Amino acid sequence: MRNPHAAFAGGELARRRAALAQALVDRRINDRDARANFACWLAIACAAGAPGPEFEVVCLYPEGAKGRAFPEDFAPADHWRAELERARNAASGVAVREPTNFAAIKKAVALNQLARHLGCKPITVTVPHARAA
């Protein structure tokens, strides 16, 4: 069975890599913070099972065998889960404020599903209903 979270997490990693690179060029973030944030997204993508050479490791035993990195090889679990929760909460806020922005809703749902899949704390979003005139 295909892992639907792997593809989303891999795409999100690529998007955030580009956004962080641009933020560094624009001096909106310092190098240390960019590296820490990117390490969290590497860990998130790794935990979700995203493919990529950055997740491949060479094992000591059996010598030369290929293996897969662990998320904690990139960032501590409490750090990457906190970053994923922050991103999910921000995306959910946009989706609530812009109820006709289907791209924002789709991203919020995907981030929420990824967060739940990776053991993050659940979130409850309350959407106010329009009142009948």
Side-chain angles (χ1 to χ4, degrees), residues 58-66:
V58 177
C59 300
L60 295 175
Y61 185 84
E63 188 174 333
K66 300 260 178 168

Side-chain angles (χ1 to χ4, degrees), residues 9 31 33 78 119 131:
D31 188 62
D33 291 344
D78 59 330
R131 295 180 188 222

Side-chain angles (χ1 to χ4, degrees), residues 4 14 16 18 22 26 33 40-41 48 56-57 60 63 69-71 73-74 81 83 95 102 119-122 125:
R16 289 179 184 271
Q22 188 60 52
D26 296 343
D33 291 344
C40 286
W41 285 99
E56 295 174 3
V57 295
L60 295 175
E63 188 174 333
F70 292 98
D73 291 339
F74 301 103
R81 281 196 177 101
E83 173 57 22
F102 296 111
C120 293
K121 297 174 197 157
V125 177

Side-chain angles (χ1 to χ4, degrees), residues 67-131:
R68 184 163 171 90
F70 292 98
E72 288 72 20
D73 291 339
F74 301 103
D78 59 330
H79 291 197
W80 63 259
R81 281 196 177 101
E83 173 57 22
L84 181 53
E85 289 170 2
R86 185 206 60 73
R88 175 209 50 205
N89 295 350
S92 296
V94 171
V96 168
R97 286 189 307 278
E98 302 175 20
T100 59
N101 183 341
F102 296 111
I105 293 168
K106 183 177 178 181
K107 181 175 180 176
V109 168
L111 281 168
N112 188 46
Q113 290 174 339
L114 178 61
R116 294 297 302 267
H117 176 70
L118 297 181
C120 293
K121 297 174 197 157
I123 183 176
T124 302
V125 177
T126 304
V127 179
H129 294 286
R131 295 180 188 222

